[in-house]
Protein backbone atom coordinates (compact mmCIF):
# COMPACT_ATOMS: atom_id res chain seq x y z
CA UNK A 1 0.00 0.00 0.00
CA UNK A 2 2.13 2.86 -1.29
CA UNK A 3 -0.41 5.49 -0.33
CA UNK A 4 -1.07 4.34 3.22
CA UNK A 5 -0.69 6.95 5.98
CA UNK A 6 2.26 5.08 7.43
CA UNK A 7 4.19 5.11 4.13
CA UNK A 8 3.41 8.81 3.66
CA UNK A 9 4.64 9.56 7.21
CA UNK A 10 7.80 7.56 6.57
CA UNK A 11 8.58 9.42 3.33
CA UNK A 12 7.90 12.76 5.05
CA UNK A 13 10.17 11.76 7.95
CA UNK A 14 12.96 10.62 5.62
CA UNK A 15 12.76 13.88 3.67
CA UNK A 16 12.84 15.92 6.88
CA UNK A 17 15.96 14.04 8.01
CA UNK A 18 17.71 14.44 4.67
CA UNK A 19 16.90 18.17 4.52
CA UNK A 20 18.24 18.58 8.07
CA UNK A 21 16.76 22.08 8.41
CA UNK A 22 18.13 24.44 11.05
CA UNK A 23 16.53 27.81 11.69
CA UNK A 24 19.02 30.63 12.13
CA UNK A 25 18.20 33.88 13.86
CA UNK A 26 14.49 33.14 14.19
CA UNK A 27 14.41 35.77 16.92
CA UNK A 28 15.46 38.60 14.57
CA UNK A 29 11.91 39.79 14.01
CA UNK A 30 8.32 38.71 13.90
CA UNK A 31 8.30 38.46 10.12
CA UNK A 32 11.92 37.71 9.24
CA UNK A 33 13.43 34.23 9.05
CA UNK A 34 16.49 32.33 7.88
CA UNK A 35 16.79 28.57 7.62
CA UNK A 36 19.79 26.46 6.59
CA UNK A 37 19.28 23.06 4.94
CA UNK A 38 20.82 20.40 2.68
CA UNK A 39 20.20 21.74 -0.80
CA UNK A 40 20.56 18.34 -2.52
CA UNK A 41 17.53 17.04 -0.59
CA UNK A 42 15.14 19.47 -2.29
CA UNK A 43 12.59 17.71 -4.47
CA UNK A 44 12.09 18.37 -8.19
CA UNK A 45 11.05 21.94 -8.81
CA UNK A 46 11.50 23.16 -5.22
CA UNK A 47 14.83 24.90 -5.87
CA UNK A 48 13.33 26.70 -8.88
CA UNK A 49 10.27 27.72 -6.85
CA UNK A 50 12.50 29.10 -4.09
CA UNK A 51 14.83 30.89 -6.50
CA UNK A 52 11.84 32.40 -8.35
CA UNK A 53 10.15 33.76 -5.22
CA UNK A 54 10.48 37.55 -5.33
CA UNK A 55 10.91 38.28 -1.62
CA UNK A 56 12.92 35.18 -0.63
CA UNK A 57 16.69 34.85 -0.88
CA UNK A 58 18.27 31.46 -1.60
CA UNK A 59 22.05 31.20 -1.39
CA UNK A 60 24.82 28.74 -0.54
CA UNK A 61 25.50 28.69 3.19
CA UNK A 62 28.78 26.81 3.14
CA UNK A 63 30.39 26.13 -0.24
CA UNK A 64 31.43 22.51 -0.65
CA UNK A 65 29.22 21.32 2.20
CA UNK A 66 26.02 21.23 0.15
CA UNK A 67 24.17 23.50 2.58
CA UNK A 68 21.98 26.39 1.48
CA UNK A 69 20.24 29.23 3.29
CA UNK A 70 16.77 30.56 2.63
CA UNK A 71 15.68 33.85 4.15
CA UNK A 72 13.16 36.62 3.89
CA UNK A 73 9.83 37.71 5.28
CA UNK A 74 7.86 34.83 6.77
CA UNK A 75 4.61 35.77 4.94
CA UNK A 76 6.44 35.26 1.61
CA UNK A 77 7.18 31.64 2.56
CA UNK A 78 3.52 31.15 3.46
CA UNK A 79 2.43 32.63 0.12
CA UNK A 80 4.79 30.30 -1.73
CA UNK A 81 3.30 27.32 0.10
CA UNK A 82 -0.21 28.55 -0.68
CA UNK A 83 0.75 28.62 -4.36
CA UNK A 84 2.34 25.14 -4.20
CA UNK A 85 0.49 23.21 -1.46
CA UNK A 86 2.08 19.87 -2.45
CA UNK A 87 5.65 21.14 -2.02
CA UNK A 88 6.50 18.95 0.97
CA UNK A 89 10.11 20.15 1.28
CA UNK A 90 8.92 23.76 1.57
CA UNK A 91 6.46 22.72 4.27
CA UNK A 92 9.30 21.06 6.20
CA UNK A 93 11.40 24.24 5.99
CA UNK A 94 8.44 26.29 7.25
CA UNK A 95 7.91 23.82 10.11
CA UNK A 96 11.57 24.21 11.14
CA UNK A 97 11.18 27.99 11.25
CA UNK A 98 7.93 27.76 13.22
CA UNK A 99 9.53 25.39 15.73
CA UNK A 100 12.48 27.74 16.26
CA UNK A 101 10.18 30.74 16.75
CA UNK A 102 8.13 29.00 19.44
CA UNK A 103 9.10 30.03 22.96
CA UNK A 104 10.49 27.27 25.21
CA UNK A 105 7.87 25.29 27.11
CA UNK A 106 9.51 26.03 30.45
CA UNK A 107 12.46 27.81 31.92
CA UNK A 108 15.82 26.11 32.14
CA UNK A 109 18.23 26.17 35.04
CA UNK A 110 21.88 25.30 34.97
CA UNK A 111 24.35 25.14 37.80
CA UNK A 112 28.01 24.37 38.32
CA UNK A 113 29.20 22.44 41.35
CA UNK A 114 32.88 22.60 42.19
CA UNK A 115 33.85 19.41 44.08
CA UNK A 116 37.63 19.64 43.89
CA UNK A 117 39.41 19.07 47.24
CA UNK A 118 40.53 22.69 47.52
CA UNK A 119 36.95 23.97 47.16
CA UNK A 120 35.88 22.93 50.67
CA UNK A 121 36.35 25.01 53.81
CA UNK A 122 38.23 22.21 55.56
CA UNK A 123 41.09 22.52 53.09
CA UNK A 124 40.64 18.96 51.87
CA UNK A 125 41.53 17.29 55.17
CA UNK A 126 38.49 14.97 55.13
CA UNK A 127 38.54 13.83 51.52
Amino acid sequence: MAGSPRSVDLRFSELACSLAPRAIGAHTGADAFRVEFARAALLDGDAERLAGAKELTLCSASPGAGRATLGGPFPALNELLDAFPNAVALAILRAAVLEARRPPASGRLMGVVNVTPDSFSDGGRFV
Side-chain angles (χ1 to χ4, degrees), residues 5-100:
R6 182 178 174 155
S7 66
V8 170
D9 287 346
L10 182 60
R11 285 193 306 254
F12 189 80
S13 176
E14 289 172 351
L15 178 58
C17 288
S18 62
L19 273 171
R22 183 175 65 95
I24 305 167
H27 60 280
T28 57
D31 289 335
F33 79 94
R34 266 184 25 191
V35 63
E36 183 183 288
F37 60 95
R39 187 177 187 134
L42 287 177
L43 300 175
D44 291 338
D46 287 340
E48 292 79 18
R49 290 180 190 117
L50 290 173
K54 293 178 183 175
E55 297 182 57
L56 299 177
T57 304
L58 178 65
C59 59
S60 293
S62 49
R67 305 285 292 169
T69 302
L70 176 69
F74 192 69
L77 183 58
N78 285 332
E79 289 171 15
L80 187 62
L81 273 162
D82 288 343
F84 302 100
N86 294 330
V88 177
L90 303 183
I92 292 170
L93 295 178
R94 178 176 66 175
V97 173
L98 287 172
E99 183 65 26

